Amino acid sequence: MKKATYWADSYIDKRCSAQEALKHIRPGQRVFIGSSCAEPLHLVKELSAISARLTDLEIVRLLSIENGPLTLIANEPHSQQFNIRSFYLGSCGPNIIKKNQRFITPANLSQIPYLFKSGLMPLNTALIQASPPDDFGWMSLGISVDINLSACETADIVICQINPQMPRVLGRSFIHVNDVDYIVEHEDPLLTIQPRPEHESNNIIAKHISRLIEDGSTIQTSLSLTTEAVMLALSNKNDIGIHSQYLSDAIMHLFSIRVITNKKKGFNNGKLVASAAVGSRLLYDFLDDNPSIEFYPSDYTNNPGIIGRHNKMVTLNTAMAIDLTGQVAADALPFNNYTGINGLLDFTRGAAMSEGGKSILMMTATMDNGQKSRIVPRLAEHSVVVPRGDVQFVATEYGVVNLFGKTLQERVLALVSIAHPDFRDELFAAGKEMGLIDSDRKFKEAIKGVYPLKYEETIVIKDIPITFRAAKPTDERFIQEHYYTMNRGDIVSRFFHEKKSFAYDQIETTYEIDYINDLTIVATIGELGFEKIIAVGEYFRNTIINMAEVAYSVSKEYQGMGIANVLQKKLNQGAIDNGIKGLIAYTSPHNKGMIRLFHKQPYKITTEKNDDMLILTCLFNEPKEDGNDDGGKALGEAILSMGAGT
C-alpha cells in the first residue's frame, strides 16, 4: 500500500504553469469552468490561446462574465474548437440571448449538481479558482461554491488556480490539496460588479414591496437593480435573515447596520447562508473568514425543501414579462446579473412551503424606453419560467397584486391595474377578446388612475395592525363582502335606504376610481390579496362647485376604534392634494356618529337643513377657531333643528 503524501509536499509536486496543466485536456472532452466572479481568468485566457489545437471541446459553465473569448470563438463561422453548454448566459439583452440561445441548457440550479454526481453529464476536467491552502491543506472556493464544488468532486482532472485575493469563505466551500491534480499559482484581481445607475421606478417598486416583508423574515434576492433597491428599503426592519443564492453589497450594508441578524430564521439560525457572491472588493473582504457567513452548494441552498424550513421565507426575484394569466418569463435583463431559469423556480416553490412565506416577482411596467409593456396578453416571444400556478405577488412601479388563488378574470384585472396606464386599455380589450373578462365589463377611463402609495399606512389599533390605503380595482369582492356583512342600521345610514344587493354595477364607483376626482380609502386587515375590508371612506368631486361629497362605513365590530377618523384625515389630505376646496356630507340627523365625526374636522362646520337631511360642509381655507369642539354641541343643535327626538 502506497503511503499518503503530506499535503504540503503534494502541493509542491502538483504546482505547474497553466500551459503545462492544460496540456492534459484532449479534443472532444467536456471541461467545466468556474462560474461568475470566481471564473479562473488566467486559466480561461490560456485555454483560449491553445484553442487552435483543440476540436469539439464542450465548455460547461453556469455563467461567464465573458472576459475571455470562448463564446466568440464558438460563434465563429465553421468553428470546431468549442461548443458552449451554459446554464445561464448572464446580463445581456434579448438580442444577445437569441444569438447564443443554442448554448442555453435549461435546468433548475438545485438539480445541476445531480447531473455531475449521477454521471449523466460526466466532466473530464474542471478549471476552478480557490484561496491558498490553510494549515491543514484546505482551500476555499471562495465567492462561488454553487455548482463548482460538485464539479470538483466529480471531474476526472481538477486544475486549480490559486489566487491570494480569493477570500476564505466558511461552510461547505472547501476542497483539499490532495483532491486536485494540478495547481497553478497566479494572482488576479477578482471580477467585480460596478455600482449600477439608480432608477426611480425601482425605488418606487421597493416602497410597494417593503410593507410585505415583516420583521423576522428570511430573505432571498436575485441580483438586479430592483432587488438592490428593495434591500436598501428594508433599513427599518428588524431581525432579517438571509438564505439566498447570491450575496450582494446591499446585503452587506444591511448586515452592518444590524438589520440582518439571522436570529429568527428557524433554520441555520445565526448564519447568513448563500452559494455565491457578486459585488465589490469590499464585499469579498467582508466574506473573508467571517464566522457568521457560510456558503453551500446549490443543491443545498436551492433545495425547495431546505428553503421551506425557514420562517417567513420571502423570495425577491425579477421577471422580464408576465402574461394576463400569470405565466412569467425571466430571461436576462440589462443591469440584472442573474435571473434565468436557474434558481427562480426553486426559491418560488420553496417560499410556498414556508410558514408565512411569500414569493415576490418584480419588474418595471415597460421596456424599450417605454415603448412596450412587460405585461402582455400572451407570452409569444418568451419562454415560460414560472408557471401560472406558482406565481404569488407581482409588483411594478404602479402597485403590487397577489395572484395566488385568483380566477383568470381576477388576474387580468389585477395585472391591468399595475400595468403602465398607456397600455391598460389594450390589455383590458385583449382580456375580453381572449374570453378572460366578462363581456359585460366596460373599460373605464378611471382604471388609468395611478395608485397613490403616499396614503398607505399601517397603524396598530388595540393590538390589531390595520392598513389604510387607497382602494384598488382588485378590491371589488372585498368591498362587496364589507357591505354584505353590515347590519341594517349601518346600511341605511350609509345609503339612506335599505339595500340588499351590492352588485358590481351598483358599487363600481367605489373601486374603479381615478384617485383625483374620486378617491376611496379602505381600512384592511390580513394579507394583501386576501384582506378583509373593515371600513370604507369615499369622496366624490362635484366639479361645478369644486367640493367633494364624503361618506363612510365601518364594520360593526370595529366601530368605536377611531378608524373613521383616520379615513377622514386621509380623505382630507387627498382632497387638498387634488385642489378641492372642501367637503360636503349628506346625512340623517339620527346618524350621530357621522355628525360627530364631521365636526372633528379642524375647519369651520356649516350645518344646513334640507327636508329630512342635514348638509354638513367645511372649507379647507377656514380653520376652526375652537380646536376643542368635538361636535357634541353641534349634534344636539342639529337634532333639535330637525325636530327629532334623541
Side-chain angles (χ1 to χ4, degrees):
M1 182 176 179
K2 185 178 179 181
K3 184 177 179 181
T5 305
Y6 177 50
W7 74 262
D9 296 331
S10 176
Y11 182 94
I12 295 172
D13 292 341
K14 295 174 179 179
R15 191 170 53 186
C16 63
S17 68
Q19 295 88 339
E20 292 173 319
L22 295 176
K23 287 179 181 178
H24 299 276
I25 296 177
R26 300 285 181 263
Q29 290 188 331
R30 183 177 289 120
V31 177
F32 173 85
I33 295 179
S35 61
S36 64
C37 290
E39 183 177 327
L41 297 180
H42 180 61
L43 297 180
V44 171
K45 179 181 178 181
E46 293 301 324
L47 180 63
S48 302
I50 64 170
S51 62
R53 73 170 180 83
L54 298 170
T55 56
D56 297 319
L57 204 67
E58 181 173 287
I59 303 298
V60 178
R61 63 189 181 198
L62 175 61
L63 176 135
S64 172
I65 306 300
E66 281 299 347
N67 272 38
L70 298 184
T71 301
L72 294 176
I73 294 172
N75 269 325
E76 289 177 358
H78 313 296
S79 172
Q80 296 181 346
Q81 280 91 359
F82 297 126
N83 176 46
I84 308 294
R85 182 184 298 276
S86 180
F87 294 103
Y88 183 61
L89 278 175
S91 179
C92 49
N95 291 335
I96 297 177
I97 289 179
K98 186 174 182 179
K99 180 181 178 182
N100 298 319
Q101 63 183 344
R102 68 187 186 277
F103 299 143
I104 298 176
T105 306
N108 292 319
L109 193 56
S110 61
Q111 299 171 319
I112 297 174
Y114 174 74
L115 282 175
F116 303 154
K117 294 177 181 179
S118 65
L120 295 174
M121 188 180 291
L123 301 175
N124 300 109
T125 305
L127 308 182
I128 54 102
Q129 187 173 198
S131 69
D134 62 16
D135 291 343
F136 303 98
W138 291 100
M139 305 175 293
S140 173
L141 291 172
I143 59 176
S144 187
V145 176
D146 42 50
I147 65 174
N148 289 2
L149 183 60
S150 58
C152 292
E153 293 173 342
T154 58
D156 298 331
I157 296 174
V158 178
I159 301 174
C160 179
Q161 177 181 334
I162 298 296
N163 188 352
Q165 296 198 28
M166 179 66 77
R168 184 176 183 270
V169 183
L170 306 181
R172 282 179 53 198
S173 67
F174 292 95
I175 57 172
H176 199 270
V177 168
N178 290 339
D179 295 324
V180 303
D181 298 281
Y182 301 98
I183 291 173
V184 177
E185 294 179 334
H186 187 88
E187 182 169 354
D188 269 326
L190 295 176
L191 289 168
T192 58
I193 297 296
Q194 298 302 316
R196 290 153 291 180
E198 282 194 16
H199 288 255
E200 181 57 26
S201 57
N202 295 319
N203 294 330
I204 296 172
I205 293 171
K207 292 176 183 177
H208 282 294
I209 294 302
S210 61
R211 83 174 182 90
L212 295 177
I213 302 174
E214 304 172 43
D215 290 348
S217 295
T218 305
I219 306 294
Q220 172 264 334
T221 72
S222 63
L223 293 172
S224 70
L225 282 173
T226 310
T227 47
E228 292 285 286
V230 171
M231 293 302 289
L232 293 175
L234 298 183
S235 56
N236 63 339
K237 302 293 181 180
N238 299 296
D239 290 321
I240 296 297
I242 297 293
H243 180 94
S244 187
Q245 187 172 329
Y246 306 109
L247 296 189
S248 66
D249 283 71
I251 292 176
M252 175 181 65
H253 171 73
L254 292 180
F255 184 92
S256 68
I257 62 174
R258 298 295 293 165
V259 169
I260 294 172
T261 65
N262 299 298
K263 290 180 178 179
K264 297 184 178 180
K265 293 174 67 176
F267 187 64
N268 287 328
N269 282 342
K271 299 293 184 181
L272 193 158
V273 173
S275 279
V278 175
S280 67
R281 182 68 238 186
L282 184 63
L283 172 65
Y284 304 154
D285 292 340
F286 165 72
L287 301 176
D288 189 43
D289 241 345
N290 190 329
S292 66
I293 298 171
E294 293 183 350
F295 276 17
Y296 289 84
S298 59
D299 51 356
Y300 179 89
T301 55
N302 288 56
N303 184 328
I306 296 293
I307 296 165
R309 295 177 68 175
H310 294 83
N311 294 330
K312 300 177 185 177
M313 186 74 212
V314 178
T315 65
L316 302 166
N317 290 289
T318 305
M320 185 176 197
I322 184 170
D323 72 16
L324 290 176
T325 69
Q327 297 184 117
V328 174
D331 295 322
L333 295 168
F335 306 115
N336 185 54
N337 297 308
Y338 301 83
T339 55
I341 193 171
N342 52 73
L344 178 51
L345 195 56
D346 292 330
F347 277 96
T348 297
R349 291 179 170 168
M353 299 178 187
S354 166
E355 185 174 351
K358 299 182 180 77
S359 169
I360 303 172
L361 291 169
M362 301 166 290
M363 58 185 174
T364 54
T366 61
M367 54 185 169
D368 294 347
N369 295 318
Q371 299 302 305
K372 292 183 179 179
S373 173
R374 293 196 187 278
I375 299 174
V376 297
R378 297 180 179 87
L379 284 179
E381 299 179 1
H382 310 287
S383 300
V384 175
V385 172
V386 183
R388 60 174 69 96
D390 288 299
V391 176
Q392 192 178 10
F393 293 97
V394 180
T396 72
E397 62 268 44
Y398 294 99
V400 55
V401 294
N402 188 348
L403 301 188
F404 180 63
K406 300 297 186 287
T407 66
L408 292 184
Q409 175 167 281
E410 290 170 330
R411 287 172 173 233
V412 173
L413 296 175
L415 290 169
V416 168
S417 75
I418 62 170
H420 191 287
D422 291 349
F423 296 98
R424 291 180 190 175
D425 51 353
E426 61 186 73
L427 289 170
F428 186 90
K432 290 189 72 171
E433 184 180 340
M434 295 163 65
L436 301 178
I437 302 178
D438 185 348
S439 59
D440 292 336
R441 294 262 178 171
K442 299 293 189 293
F443 180 81
K444 305 289 180 65
E445 282 300 312
I447 204 173
K448 290 189 176 183
V450 177
Y451 177 77
L453 182 61
K454 61 184 176 181
Y455 302 136
E456 192 170 293
E457 181 182 13
T458 298
I459 302 174
V460 178
I461 303 176
K462 294 186 177 180
D463 297 326
I464 303 172
I466 301 175
T467 297
F468 295 85
R469 60 169 176 79
K472 306 174 183 178
T474 52
D475 288 327
E476 174 185 344
R477 181 61 187 170
F478 305 134
I479 291 175
Q480 286 177 320
E481 290 172 348
H482 167 69
Y483 288 143
Y484 277 117
T485 55
M486 289 172 61
N487 62 34
R488 176 180 174 276
D490 289 337
I491 290 174
V492 172
S493 294
R494 167 62 183 83
F495 295 99
F496 307 114
H497 62 88
E498 290 196 24
K499 189 175 177 65
K500 296 183 178 179
S501 175
F502 301 95
Y504 158 76
D505 57 352
Q506 296 175 359
I507 63 168
E508 59 183 329
T509 54
T510 306
Y511 49 84
E512 286 198 357
I513 49 184
D514 62 8
Y515 304 115
I516 298 173
N517 295 311
D518 303 322
L519 176 63
T520 300
I521 301 292
V522 294
T524 72
I525 58 174
E527 182 176 299
L528 178 66
F530 293 91
E531 297 144 300
K532 178 180 179 180
I533 290 179
I534 60 174
V536 177
E538 313 156 58
Y539 80 55
F540 307 92
R541 185 181 204 161
N542 183 330
T543 55
I544 297 174
I545 61 174
N546 195 26
M547 297 284 284
E549 179 186 343
V550 293
Y552 305 91
S553 60
V554 181
S555 297
K556 188 70 175 179
E557 62 268 39
Y558 296 96
Q559 292 176 4
M561 296 172 60
I563 292 173
N565 193 46
V566 178
L567 294 178
Q568 181 168 259
K569 289 179 179 178
K570 289 190 174 292
L571 288 178
N572 283 358
Q573 188 59 54
I576 293 170
D577 290 346
N578 292 313
I580 296 173
K581 290 196 308 182
L583 303 181
I584 303 175
Y586 297 89
T587 188
S588 162
H590 300 289
N591 191 347
K592 301 176 184 179
M594 180 62 179
I595 297 170
R596 287 195 185 98
L597 174 67
F598 204 87
H599 275 271
K600 289 183 179 180
Q601 299 271 20
Y603 313 104
K604 292 180 181 179
I605 307 300
T606 301
T607 304
E608 297 180 30
K609 176 183 175 182
N610 185 359
D611 295 331
D612 59 348
M613 298 291 292
L614 287 182
I615 305 175
L616 308 173
T617 62
C618 69
L619 297 174
F620 297 134
N621 64 354
E622 295 183 355
K624 182 183 294 181
E625 294 178 2
D626 181 8
N628 296 320
D629 181 13
D630 65 355
K633 181 180 178 181
L635 172 62
E637 291 176 350
I639 294 173
L640 289 173
S641 71
M642 297 294 294
T646 57

